Amino acid sequence: MNYADIKFPDIQDGTGIRIALYVSGCHFHCPNCHNKSAWDKNFGKPFTDETIEYIINRFSENESYCEGLSLLGGEPLEFYNQEGLVKLTNKFKERYPNKDIWCWTGYDFDKDILNKMYKENKVTRKLLANIDIIVDGQFIPEKKMIDLIARGSYNQKKIDVQASIKTGKTVYLKFGDEHRYDGLTQKPKVILVKEFSKANPEESRFVPTQNVIEEYFESERGNKVFIPNQNLEKISAEGIKFKYKEEK
Ligand code: SF4
């Protein structure tokens, strides 16, 4: 097994401040993948016991404010990556039973993982026993929304792995941002964002906009628009229907 990168601190992949391991090798080859160099399983450096020690030690030095470990790729659930990740996650959970592990995969959790790999493969069972949240599914550019939490496209789902194993059924997590897209057959045309006035930061309000293609863009009043996560969750819970609303 090889890995492409270790990122610390990482604030993009999961909640809070984390340490992230990007493994090498992925057969999915999604269009617009951000980690194409990691498609090759031989890319990067060998994943050894020293790598595990490094990750554990790095986390340990910063444990008080770090929330957990994130596994990305590449494809963490390629069979050739699973053994190494079992070793890492065993050690991580042994040392930090209250910290969480997130994992991103291109596989469909329900079909490919819970109802196949988990049933057929002992190593997968060991690995899943350590993972708290899986974000599943390939990245689909036509379904890309930049405001999704922890996902690139809205076909991807956040899954409570331990609850799924316990019940034998896939248990989806709702962080407040799924409801907008449930049951939709096409991309929403209007969402609400929060507009910040640079000149007067106190003066901010929710404004409607067309499909979001950039994280920052000019609003109708010429101000930069920024989308902070906590507001998105609030907005998301309100649905996609156009509804002008002053901030309370
Ligand atoms: S599954 Fe992830 S790493 Fe693999 S090609 Fe798709 S986006 Fe890239």
Side-chain angles (χ1 to χ4, degrees):
M1 168 184 172
N2 271 24
Y3 73 98
D5 201 5
I6 294 170
K7 284 191 185 157
F8 179 84
D10 175 76
I11 53 164
Q12 287 184 329
D13 306 310
T15 50
I17 299 171
R18 316 182 65 78
I19 189 159
L21 170 71
Y22 289 73
V23 300
S24 297
C26 179
H27 72 277
F28 284 111
H29 297 190
C30 305
N32 296 8
C33 168
H34 286 294
N35 296 321
K36 284 187 179 162
S37 49
W39 287 358
D40 177 359
K41 72 196 273 271
N42 298 312
F43 177 79
K45 299 178 192 160
F47 185 81
T48 62
D49 288 348
E50 285 69 42
T51 319
I52 294 177
E53 276 316 302
Y54 174 80
I55 292 172
I56 299 291
N57 289 339
R58 207 68 217 279
F59 193 86
S60 163
E61 288 157 13
N62 303 282
E63 189 200 339
S64 59
Y65 63 91
C66 286
E67 285 198 20
L69 166 70
S70 298
L71 308 172
L72 309 98
E75 173 53 64
L77 286 167
E78 297 289 9
F79 284 117
Y80 50 77
N81 286 329
Q82 291 193 21
E83 294 255 13
L85 293 181
V86 168
K87 273 176 117 179
L88 169 65
T89 56
N90 275 350
K91 208 153 214 179
F92 186 87
K93 279 289 180 181
E94 214 176 275
R95 286 277 291 272
Y96 311 110
N98 298 322
K99 303 286 182 180
D100 58 33
I101 300 180
W102 287 54
C103 174
W104 277 255
T105 175
Y107 287 104
D108 179 283
F109 182 81
D110 195 61
K111 179 167 73 72
D112 304 320
I113 301 176
L114 190 63
N115 285 301
K116 192 164 168 56
M117 280 187 213
Y118 184 79
K119 288 183 176 162
E120 294 172 2
N121 192 308
K122 198 163 88 182
V123 183
T124 308
R125 288 199 285 281
K126 286 185 186 170
L127 179 57
L128 290 195
N130 292 331
I131 295 176
D132 298 282
I133 295 176
I134 275 187
V135 181
D136 81 337
Q138 288 174 253
F139 171 67
I140 300 177
E142 295 74 36
K143 296 186 175 178
K144 175 183 174 183
M145 295 296 288
I146 58 103
D147 57 329
L148 295 171
I149 297 166
R151 299 170 295 152
S153 53
Y154 61 87
N155 59 296
Q156 297 171 313
K157 304 285 180 214
K158 294 188 288 275
I159 290 146
D160 183 332
V161 178
Q162 297 314 309
S164 302
I165 290 171
K166 206 169 161 190
T167 59
K169 287 185 181 152
T170 300
V171 177
Y172 296 103
L173 281 163
K174 302 262 184 194
F175 283 19
D177 68 330
E178 272 89 355
H179 301 291
R180 279 176 299 162
Y181 308 116
D182 283 352
L184 285 183
T185 52
Q186 58 184 27
K187 201 167 176 176
K189 288 282 185 246
V190 177
I191 68 162
L192 295 172
V193 296
K194 189 177 181 187
E195 177 187 324
F196 286 91
S197 163
K198 252 193 179 167
N200 181 5
E202 296 306 310
E203 189 197 323
S204 57
R205 61 184 185 131
F206 288 122
V207 293
T209 183
Q210 296 302 306
N211 279 349
V212 180
I213 48 168
E214 296 291 340
E215 196 159 7
Y216 296 88
F217 51 96
E218 296 290 321
S219 78
E220 59 199 293
R221 296 196 305 181
N223 295 323
K224 287 278 180 203
V225 172
F226 174 57
I227 310 173
N229 271 354
Q230 67 271 29
N231 286 316
L232 278 172
E233 294 202 34
K234 197 157 80 179
I235 291 164
S236 304
E238 293 175 358
I240 61 160
K241 282 190 192 129
F242 170 79
K243 195 164 65 167
Y244 183 87
K245 187 175 173 218
E246 291 288 345
E247 192 191 13
K248 289 191 179 132

